Amino acid sequence: MGLLTGKTALITGAARGIGKAIALKFAAEGANIAFTDLAVNEETEAEIAALGVKAKSYASNAADFAESEAVVQQVKADFGSIDILVNNAGITKDGLMLRMTEQQWDAVIAVNLKSAFNFIHACVPVMMRQRGGSIINMASVVGVHGNAGQANYAASKAGLIALAKSIGQEMGPKGIRANAIAPGFIDTAMTQALSEEVRKEWCNKIPLRRGGTVEDIANCALFLASDLSSYISGQVIQVDGGMNM
């Protein structure tokens, strides 16, 4: 028996990167996995299903309210329940505030923050009927501390933290928990594209002297999704190697 046996997890933006790592971790612990991305990803679906659970990929623009509502209803029909929601869909469009366009601001807020509202709005009625559920918002350390050149991204991630805390307060009486994870410098395709010098500079700021892995984030998500954290709600956990103590 795994930590999530018998549960269904819905993860947005999970075809690759951190979202995919969370999906694989949850599946290894027995959860059935529904995941979204802009297009159906049969390769990731097969990889998850190979772990012996039910897995299905859905094409959905998480920033679109109607599409999100529709995909949640389809997941409920296909899987019968939604016990865990991970709001992971996200993009970056970095730039200094004076040069940032309205389109750059709107796109990041829509994909990173509005998408979480869309999916929470659609999933909460399902979880209420089940008298329980765990909602996990993927934030960032820049949502806690800010970052020059990322005003749109930082604002969206700070919003995800406040959203988790608010939902935790609203839905606690219904047995629904909501928390946020704030990753620090994580080794992904995006950070691997940085120069060795920049990567070394980042690591020197981190007490553990290394970047995090997607596995580090997935382990934290597993804890928050499982009954191991049954009395934890409204919290933000920084997974950053001590970078921002």
Side-chain angles (χ1 to χ4, degrees):
M1 286 282 285
L3 286 171
L4 302 179
T5 298
K7 295 189 175 185
T8 295
L10 170 54
I11 306 167
T12 65
R16 63 193 67 79
I18 288 173
K20 180 179 177 180
I22 291 171
L24 290 168
K25 176 68 68 174
F26 285 8
E29 290 292 336
N32 295 315
I33 305 293
F35 69 96
T36 73
D37 216 286
L38 288 173
V40 168
N41 191 304
E42 292 177 355
E43 189 179 330
T44 297
E45 181 183 297
E47 210 173 321
I48 297 167
L51 293 169
V53 298
K54 181 176 180 179
K56 188 161 185 187
S57 171
Y58 297 83
S60 166
N61 174 7
D64 186 289
F65 184 84
E67 275 191 41
S68 302
E69 291 273 345
V71 83
V72 167
Q73 291 312 310
Q74 191 58 55
V75 170
K76 174 67 168 64
D78 292 343
F79 287 81
S81 70
I82 300 173
D83 306 288
I84 302 152
L85 168 65
V86 182
N87 288 307
N88 172 73
I91 60 170
T92 58
K93 289 186 180 292
D94 297 345
L96 294 172
M97 173 56 78
L98 289 176
R99 295 182 190 145
M100 188 173 289
T101 65
E102 181 186 12
Q103 290 74 22
Q104 285 175 309
W105 176 271
D106 287 349
V108 170
I109 296 298
V111 175
N112 296 9
L113 182 55
K114 183 170 181 275
S115 65
F117 163 77
N118 293 343
F119 274 86
I120 291 171
H121 190 274
C123 285
V124 156
V126 178
M127 291 179 172
M128 284 174 67
R129 285 193 291 273
Q130 297 166 181
R131 297 293 302 174
S134 176
I135 296 168
I136 302 167
N137 287 350
M138 294 304 302
S140 166
V141 291
V142 307
V144 180
H145 303 278
N147 196 33
Q150 289 193 306
N152 51 1
Y153 185 75
S156 72
K157 295 301 186 177
L160 285 172
I161 290 168
L163 178 60
K165 290 176 179 288
S166 299
I167 297 302
Q169 290 182 36
E170 285 185 28
M171 292 294 126
K174 305 294 185 186
I176 300 168
R177 300 182 296 112
N179 294 286
I181 297 174
F185 187 77
I186 307 300
D187 279 321
T188 62
M190 190 165 65
T191 57
Q192 282 164 11
L194 298 171
S195 71
E196 188 60 36
E197 189 182 344
V198 170
R199 287 167 58 82
K200 193 174 286 186
E201 191 180 322
W202 266 102
C203 288
N204 284 337
K205 297 175 185 173
I206 301 168
L208 290 183
R209 293 294 188 268
R210 67 172 179 86
T213 66
V214 291
E215 187 85 357
D216 291 323
I217 306 304
N219 285 334
C220 184
L222 173 62
F223 170 68
L224 291 175
S226 76
D227 291 340
L228 291 175
S229 59
S230 61
Y231 200 55
I232 296 175
S233 191
Q235 303 304 307
V236 52
I237 301 178
Q238 297 187 69
V239 185
D240 63 3
M243 181 171 67
N244 288 304
M245 292 187 188

